[in-house]
Amino acid sequence: MACGDITAGVSYNCDTPLQGGADATLYLINSSQLDGFVQDGTDPNILTALTLSTGALAYAFQGFKRSLAPTWEAVNTDAGQTVYRHAVQFFLFDISQATKNVIEDLALGGYVGIIQNNTRDENAFEVLGLGAGLEMQPGALRAVNDNNGVYTINLATPENEFEGKLPRTLYDGTSFASTKTYVEGL
């Protein structure tokens, strides 16, 4: 079986070079409240919508400048299959009890995340954790004397579980602006 046969090449685009970085807002959806998604008719790896349970919402975690750091990596399993680990680190600039309550809730659940790259085109939005979800990772949450005392949250694909694909692109098929409005409306 030739699962890895490539079907296209990739070239550098001089007119629109890649812009690194991500917008500082992370949208999180409880995995248990994501009922499904709608795939693009031409490319099934592009999502045009997410279907949430009745009354479910995405929650925005707003940061500042480069306070959101999504990453993904390829992992080779013992069986030889290449799979992926999605992760996102973000900072919470609030130390109130309400924020502590949110962090304690984050530690107990699984999530799907939406990030916005610094581009303003059909590739701007990506969905992390669509398969296995994202879970809070163990580690230090706050060092009062470091980084101005912010909370540092790390979400990633659960230990010994993997995503079958890289993060999916979310694009409503119309424009960057309408996709952004859609994401903010979740």
Side-chain angles (χ1 to χ4, degrees), residues 141-165:
L141 293 172
R142 183 170 184 242
V144 176
N145 293 326
D146 292 337
N147 211 6
N148 206 30
V150 302
Y151 279 102
T152 303
I153 308 297
N154 288 291
L155 300 178
T157 306
E159 188 70 30
N160 297 318
E161 294 183 41
F162 301 101
E163 293 288 337
K165 296 184 175 269

PDB file of all heavy atoms in Angstrom, residues 141-165:
ATOM      1  N   LEU A 141       3.120  25.752  36.702  1.00  0.00           N
ATOM      2  CA  LEU A 141       2.076  26.623  36.166  1.00  0.00           C
ATOM      3  C   LEU A 141       2.413  28.102  36.345  1.00  0.00           C
ATOM      4  O   LEU A 141       2.046  28.923  35.520  1.00  0.00           O
ATOM      5  CB  LEU A 141       0.735  26.333  36.845  1.00  0.00           C
ATOM      6  CG  LEU A 141       0.137  24.966  36.557  1.00  0.00           C
ATOM      7  CD1 LEU A 141      -1.083  24.724  37.437  1.00  0.00           C
ATOM      8  CD2 LEU A 141      -0.241  24.863  35.096  1.00  0.00           C
ATOM      9  N   ARG A 142       3.072  28.402  37.442  1.00  0.00           N
ATOM     10  CA  ARG A 142       3.377  29.810  37.708  1.00  0.00           C
ATOM     11  C   ARG A 142       4.626  29.899  38.563  1.00  0.00           C
ATOM     12  O   ARG A 142       4.739  29.249  39.590  1.00  0.00           O
ATOM     13  CB  ARG A 142       2.209  30.472  38.441  1.00  0.00           C
ATOM     14  CG  ARG A 142       2.422  31.940  38.699  1.00  0.00           C
ATOM     15  CD  ARG A 142       1.135  32.604  39.215  1.00  0.00           C
ATOM     16  NE  ARG A 142       1.363  34.031  39.367  1.00  0.00           N
ATOM     17  CZ  ARG A 142       1.292  34.678  40.525  1.00  0.00           C
ATOM     18  NH1 ARG A 142       0.969  34.032  41.640  1.00  0.00           N
ATOM     19  NH2 ARG A 142       1.510  35.972  40.575  1.00  0.00           N
ATOM     20  N   ALA A 143       5.555  30.717  38.113  1.00  0.00           N
ATOM     21  CA  ALA A 143       6.737  31.060  38.899  1.00  0.00           C
ATOM     22  C   ALA A 143       6.627  32.565  39.146  1.00  0.00           C
ATOM     23  O   ALA A 143       6.767  33.364  38.232  1.00  0.00           O
ATOM     24  CB  ALA A 143       8.015  30.715  38.151  1.00  0.00           C
ATOM     25  N   VAL A 144       6.337  32.931  40.353  1.00  0.00           N
ATOM     26  CA  VAL A 144       6.000  34.315  40.700  1.00  0.00           C
ATOM     27  C   VAL A 144       7.085  35.302  40.277  1.00  0.00           C
ATOM     28  O   VAL A 144       6.784  36.418  39.863  1.00  0.00           O
ATOM     29  CB  VAL A 144       5.700  34.430  42.210  1.00  0.00           C
ATOM     30  CG1 VAL A 144       5.442  35.865  42.607  1.00  0.00           C
ATOM     31  CG2 VAL A 144       4.513  33.551  42.576  1.00  0.00           C
ATOM     32  N   ASN A 145       8.341  34.894  40.321  1.00  0.00           N
ATOM     33  CA  ASN A 145       9.430  35.805  39.989  1.00  0.00           C
ATOM     34  C   ASN A 145       9.877  35.729  38.531  1.00  0.00           C
ATOM     35  O   ASN A 145      10.795  36.419  38.128  1.00  0.00           O
ATOM     36  CB  ASN A 145      10.639  35.543  40.899  1.00  0.00           C
ATOM     37  CG  ASN A 145      10.346  35.916  42.331  1.00  0.00           C
ATOM     38  OD1 ASN A 145       9.611  36.866  42.593  1.00  0.00           O
ATOM     39  ND2 ASN A 145      10.890  35.161  43.268  1.00  0.00           N
ATOM     40  N   ASP A 146       9.238  34.875  37.731  1.00  0.00           N
ATOM     41  CA  ASP A 146       9.607  34.734  36.319  1.00  0.00           C
ATOM     42  C   ASP A 146       8.476  35.214  35.422  1.00  0.00           C
ATOM     43  O   ASP A 146       7.297  35.019  35.726  1.00  0.00           O
ATOM     44  CB  ASP A 146       9.905  33.266  35.983  1.00  0.00           C
ATOM     45  CG  ASP A 146      11.164  32.755  36.667  1.00  0.00           C
ATOM     46  OD1 ASP A 146      12.020  33.580  37.026  1.00  0.00           O
ATOM     47  OD2 ASP A 146      11.271  31.527  36.833  1.00  0.00           O
ATOM     48  N   ASN A 147       8.842  35.817  34.316  1.00  0.00           N
ATOM     49  CA  ASN A 147       7.880  36.198  33.283  1.00  0.00           C
ATOM     50  C   ASN A 147       6.725  37.029  33.838  1.00  0.00           C
ATOM     51  O   ASN A 147       5.571  36.841  33.469  1.00  0.00           O
ATOM     52  CB  ASN A 147       7.368  34.953  32.561  1.00  0.00           C
ATOM     53  CG  ASN A 147       7.027  35.237  31.128  1.00  0.00           C
ATOM     54  OD1 ASN A 147       7.265  36.318  30.605  1.00  0.00           O
ATOM     55  ND2 ASN A 147       6.460  34.244  30.482  1.00  0.00           N
ATOM     56  N   ASN A 148       7.054  37.890  34.766  1.00  0.00           N
ATOM     57  CA  ASN A 148       6.090  38.805  35.381  1.00  0.00           C
ATOM     58  C   ASN A 148       4.978  38.077  36.142  1.00  0.00           C
ATOM     59  O   ASN A 148       3.903  38.618  36.358  1.00  0.00           O
ATOM     60  CB  ASN A 148       5.500  39.757  34.341  1.00  0.00           C
ATOM     61  CG  ASN A 148       5.042  41.056  34.965  1.00  0.00           C
ATOM     62  OD1 ASN A 148       5.602  41.492  35.969  1.00  0.00           O
ATOM     63  ND2 ASN A 148       4.041  41.669  34.384  1.00  0.00           N
ATOM     64  N   GLY A 149       5.206  36.830  36.500  1.00  0.00           N
ATOM     65  CA  GLY A 149       4.268  36.081  37.329  1.00  0.00           C
ATOM     66  C   GLY A 149       3.047  35.548  36.615  1.00  0.00           C
ATOM     67  O   GLY A 149       2.053  35.217  37.263  1.00  0.00           O
ATOM     68  N   VAL A 150       3.072  35.436  35.285  1.00  0.00           N
ATOM     69  CA  VAL A 150       1.913  34.927  34.549  1.00  0.00           C
ATOM     70  C   VAL A 150       1.783  33.415  34.731  1.00  0.00           C
ATOM     71  O   VAL A 150       2.750  32.732  35.081  1.00  0.00           O
ATOM     72  CB  VAL A 150       1.996  35.252  33.038  1.00  0.00           C
ATOM     73  CG1 VAL A 150       2.112  36.732  32.798  1.00  0.00           C
ATOM     74  CG2 VAL A 150       3.126  34.500  32.362  1.00  0.00           C
ATOM     75  N   TYR A 151       0.587  32.905  34.491  1.00  0.00           N
ATOM     76  CA  TYR A 151       0.388  31.460  34.436  1.00  0.00           C
ATOM     77  C   TYR A 151       0.814  30.969  33.050  1.00  0.00           C
ATOM     78  O   TYR A 151       0.496  31.590  32.043  1.00  0.00           O
ATOM     79  CB  TYR A 151      -1.082  31.088  34.657  1.00  0.00           C
ATOM     80  CG  TYR A 151      -1.471  31.072  36.109  1.00  0.00           C
ATOM     81  CD1 TYR A 151      -2.178  32.124  36.662  1.00  0.00           C
ATOM     82  CD2 TYR A 151      -1.129  30.000  36.920  1.00  0.00           C
ATOM     83  CE1 TYR A 151      -2.542  32.113  37.996  1.00  0.00           C
ATOM     84  CE2 TYR A 151      -1.485  29.979  38.255  1.00  0.00           C
ATOM     85  CZ  TYR A 151      -2.195  31.032  38.790  1.00  0.00           C
ATOM     86  OH  TYR A 151      -2.547  31.027  40.106  1.00  0.00           O
ATOM     87  N   THR A 152       1.528  29.858  33.008  1.00  0.00           N
ATOM     88  CA  THR A 152       1.932  29.228  31.763  1.00  0.00           C
ATOM     89  C   THR A 152       1.185  27.910  31.640  1.00  0.00           C
ATOM     90  O   THR A 152       1.348  27.024  32.483  1.00  0.00           O
ATOM     91  CB  THR A 152       3.451  28.971  31.739  1.00  0.00           C
ATOM     92  OG1 THR A 152       4.132  30.212  31.938  1.00  0.00           O
ATOM     93  CG2 THR A 152       3.881  28.355  30.427  1.00  0.00           C
ATOM     94  N   ILE A 153       0.373  27.801  30.604  1.00  0.00           N
ATOM     95  CA  ILE A 153      -0.433  26.598  30.392  1.00  0.00           C
ATOM     96  C   ILE A 153       0.084  25.882  29.157  1.00  0.00           C
ATOM     97  O   ILE A 153       0.292  26.491  28.107  1.00  0.00           O
ATOM     98  CB  ILE A 153      -1.926  26.953  30.196  1.00  0.00           C
ATOM     99  CG1 ILE A 153      -2.439  27.842  31.333  1.00  0.00           C
ATOM    100  CG2 ILE A 153      -2.767  25.692  30.023  1.00  0.00           C
ATOM    101  CD1 ILE A 153      -2.410  27.208  32.711  1.00  0.00           C
ATOM    102  N   ASN A 154       0.281  24.586  29.274  1.00  0.00           N
ATOM    103  CA  ASN A 154       0.700  23.748  28.154  1.00  0.00           C
ATOM    104  C   ASN A 154      -0.364  22.690  27.909  1.00  0.00           C
ATOM    105  O   ASN A 154      -0.641  21.873  28.790  1.00  0.00           O
ATOM    106  CB  ASN A 154       2.043  23.072  28.462  1.00  0.00           C
ATOM    107  CG  ASN A 154       3.183  24.043  28.438  1.00  0.00           C
ATOM    108  OD1 ASN A 154       3.548  24.553  27.397  1.00  0.00           O
ATOM    109  ND2 ASN A 154       3.752  24.327  29.610  1.00  0.00           N
ATOM    110  N   LEU A 155      -0.957  22.734  26.728  1.00  0.00           N
ATOM    111  CA  LEU A 155      -1.895  21.700  26.298  1.00  0.00           C
ATOM    112  C   LEU A 155      -1.236  20.922  25.174  1.00  0.00           C
ATOM    113  O   LEU A 155      -0.541  21.506  24.337  1.00  0.00           O
ATOM    114  CB  LEU A 155      -3.194  22.319  25.776  1.00  0.00           C
ATOM    115  CG  LEU A 155      -4.017  23.183  26.722  1.00  0.00           C
ATOM    116  CD1 LEU A 155      -5.239  23.736  25.993  1.00  0.00           C
ATOM    117  CD2 LEU A 155      -4.441  22.406  27.953  1.00  0.00           C
ATOM    118  N   ALA A 156      -1.463  19.611  25.140  1.00  0.00           N
ATOM    119  CA  ALA A 156      -0.865  18.794  24.082  1.00  0.00           C
ATOM    120  C   ALA A 156      -1.668  17.518  23.894  1.00  0.00           C
ATOM    121  O   ALA A 156      -2.489  17.148  24.745  1.00  0.00           O
ATOM    122  CB  ALA A 156       0.585  18.460  24.420  1.00  0.00           C
ATOM    123  N   THR A 157      -1.392  16.845  22.786  1.00  0.00           N
ATOM    124  CA  THR A 157      -1.954  15.530  22.542  1.00  0.00           C
ATOM    125  C   THR A 157      -1.628  14.656  23.749  1.00  0.00           C
ATOM    126  O   THR A 157      -0.494  14.679  24.244  1.00  0.00           O
ATOM    127  CB  THR A 157      -1.331  14.925  21.264  1.00  0.00           C
ATOM    128  OG1 THR A 157      -1.501  15.846  20.188  1.00  0.00           O
ATOM    129  CG2 THR A 157      -1.969  13.597  20.919  1.00  0.00           C
ATOM    130  N   PRO A 158      -2.603  13.898  24.277  1.00  0.00           N
ATOM    131  CA  PRO A 158      -2.348  13.086  25.466  1.00  0.00           C
ATOM    132  C   PRO A 158      -1.186  12.105  25.289  1.00  0.00           C
ATOM    133  O   PRO A 158      -0.917  11.636  24.182  1.00  0.00           O
ATOM    134  CB  PRO A 158      -3.660  12.326  25.668  1.00  0.00           C
ATOM    135  CG  PRO A 158      -4.683  13.133  24.956  1.00  0.00           C
ATOM    136  CD  PRO A 158      -3.970  13.776  23.804  1.00  0.00           C
ATOM    137  N   GLU A 159      -0.531  11.808  26.382  1.00  0.00           N
ATOM    138  CA  GLU A 159       0.583  10.855  26.403  1.00  0.00           C
ATOM    139  C   GLU A 159       0.143   9.515  25.821  1.00  0.00           C
ATOM    140  O   GLU A 159      -0.933   9.007  26.145  1.00  0.00           O
ATOM    141  CB  GLU A 159       1.060  10.666  27.851  1.00  0.00           C
ATOM    142  CG  GLU A 159       2.322   9.853  27.986  1.00  0.00           C
ATOM    143  CD  GLU A 159       3.555  10.590  27.479  1.00  0.00           C
ATOM    144  OE1 GLU A 159       3.591  11.834  27.549  1.00  0.00           O
ATOM    145  OE2 GLU A 159       4.490   9.907  27.024  1.00  0.00           O
ATOM    146  N   ASN A 160       0.953   8.951  24.941  1.00  0.00           N
ATOM    147  CA  ASN A 160       0.704   7.666  24.284  1.00  0.00           C
ATOM    148  C   ASN A 160      -0.521   7.654  23.371  1.00  0.00           C
ATOM    149  O   ASN A 160      -1.018   6.594  23.022  1.00  0.00           O
ATOM    150  CB  ASN A 160       0.614   6.528  25.309  1.00  0.00           C
ATOM    151  CG  ASN A 160       1.921   6.347  26.037  1.00  0.00           C
ATOM    152  OD1 ASN A 160       2.987   6.399  25.427  1.00  0.00           O
ATOM    153  ND2 ASN A 160       1.855   6.163  27.340  1.00  0.00           N
ATOM    154  N   GLU A 161      -1.026   8.834  23.029  1.00  0.00           N
ATOM    155  CA  GLU A 161      -2.073   8.970  22.019  1.00  0.00           C
ATOM    156  C   GLU A 161      -1.539   9.934  20.977  1.00  0.00           C
ATOM    157  O   GLU A 161      -0.668  10.749  21.270  1.00  0.00           O
ATOM    158  CB  GLU A 161      -3.364   9.524  22.622  1.00  0.00           C
ATOM    159  CG  GLU A 161      -4.031   8.595  23.610  1.00  0.00           C
ATOM    160  CD  GLU A 161      -5.344   9.157  24.119  1.00  0.00           C
ATOM    161  OE1 GLU A 161      -6.105   9.727  23.310  1.00  0.00           O
ATOM    162  OE2 GLU A 161      -5.598   9.039  25.320  1.00  0.00           O
ATOM    163  N   PHE A 162      -2.045   9.853  19.776  1.00  0.00           N
ATOM    164  CA  PHE A 162      -1.509  10.697  18.722  1.00  0.00           C
ATOM    165  C   PHE A 162      -2.614  11.137  17.781  1.00  0.00           C
ATOM    166  O   PHE A 162      -3.681  10.533  17.728  1.00  0.00           O
ATOM    167  CB  PHE A 162      -0.421   9.941  17.937  1.00  0.00           C
ATOM    168  CG  PHE A 162       0.708   9.492  18.803  1.00  0.00           C
ATOM    169  CD1 PHE A 162       0.791   8.172  19.232  1.00  0.00           C
ATOM    170  CD2 PHE A 162       1.680  10.387  19.208  1.00  0.00           C
ATOM    171  CE1 PHE A 162       1.831   7.756  20.043  1.00  0.00           C
ATOM    172  CE2 PHE A 162       2.721   9.989  20.019  1.00  0.00           C
ATOM    173  CZ  PHE A 162       2.806   8.667  20.444  1.00  0.00           C
ATOM    174  N   GLU A 163      -2.334  12.176  17.048  1.00  0.00           N
ATOM    175  CA  GLU A 163      -3.215  12.647  15.987  1.00  0.00           C
ATOM    176  C   GLU A 163      -2.780  11.954  14.699  1.00  0.00           C
ATOM    177  O   GLU A 163      -1.591  11.795  14.448  1.00  0.00           O
ATOM    178  CB  GLU A 163      -3.100  14.163  15.816  1.00  0.00           C
ATOM    179  CG  GLU A 163      -3.613  14.952  17.001  1.00  0.00           C
ATOM    180  CD  GLU A 163      -5.127  14.938  17.125  1.00  0.00           C
ATOM    181  OE1 GLU A 163      -5.828  14.713  16.114  1.00  0.00           O
ATOM    182  OE2 GLU A 163      -5.621  15.157  18.240  1.00  0.00           O
ATOM    183  N   GLY A 164      -3.728  11.569  13.886  1.00  0.00           N
ATOM    184  CA  GLY A 164      -3.421  10.922  12.622  1.00  0.00           C
ATOM    185  C   GLY A 164      -2.967  11.898  11.548  1.00  0.00           C
ATOM    186  O   GLY A 164      -2.384  11.487  10.552  1.00  0.00           O
ATOM    187  N   LYS A 165      -3.239  13.176  11.757  1.00  0.00           N
ATOM    188  CA  LYS A 165      -2.911  14.191  10.760  1.00  0.00           C
ATOM    189  C   LYS A 165      -2.374  15.447  11.431  1.00  0.00           C
ATOM    190  O   LYS A 165      -2.552  15.659  12.620  1.00  0.00           O
ATOM    191  CB  LYS A 165      -4.156  14.555   9.949  1.00  0.00           C
ATOM    192  CG  LYS A 165      -4.709  13.393   9.129  1.00  0.00           C
ATOM    193  CD  LYS A 165      -5.869  13.846   8.274  1.00  0.00           C
ATOM    194  CE  LYS A 165      -6.335  12.716   7.385  1.00  0.00           C
ATOM    195  NZ  LYS A 165      -5.688  12.695   6.098  1.00  0.00           N
TER     196      LYS A 165
END
